[in-house]
Amino acid sequence: MLIGELAAQAGTTTRALRHYEEQGLLESDRTTAGYRLYEPGAVRRVRNIRELLSCGLTVEDVKSLLAYLDADLPEVLSYSPLCADG
């Protein structure tokens, strides 16, 4: 898929995708015309990158998790109140 398609499916911008690629978080192939081509699994990877960054991780933190970005992330950040009575 092309960069615009990936951006639309992942809910982000083409600028963010280029940034992720520059930082080594995302890879693409190129067409003969130089357009970026992404695998269908890139949608999940981009969503995971966005989720981790929104949780406060840095790009360097996310880089250390590259091996896990192509699968669903575990639900470890879910909210649970410490005291139900306040």
Side-chain angles (χ1 to χ4, degrees):
M1 83 182 63
L2 296 174
I3 192 168
E5 296 167 316
L6 176 57
Q9 289 185 30
T12 192
T13 64
T14 57
R15 183 176 180 182
L17 297 178
R18 288 185 194 97
H19 175 72
Y20 298 156
E21 195 168 333
E22 288 171 4
Q23 298 301 312
L25 299 174
L26 188 61
E27 296 177 357
S28 68
D29 292 321
R30 297 289 181 136
T31 66
T32 55
Y35 293 107
R36 289 174 168 86
L37 282 178
Y38 297 93
E39 297 291 325
V43 174
R44 179 178 296 173
R45 177 176 279 240
V46 171
R47 287 180 180 163
N48 287 340
I49 291 167
R50 289 172 44 83
E51 177 71 22
L52 293 169
L53 292 173
S54 74
C55 289
L57 275 69
T58 66
V59 169
E60 290 302 316
D61 295 332
V62 176
K63 279 184 187 179
S64 69
L65 301 170
L66 281 178
Y68 308 102
L69 294 179
D70 295 325
D72 289 332
L73 295 177
E75 293 288 330
V76 296
L77 301 174
S78 60
Y79 172 77
S80 64
L82 296 176
C83 179
D85 295 330

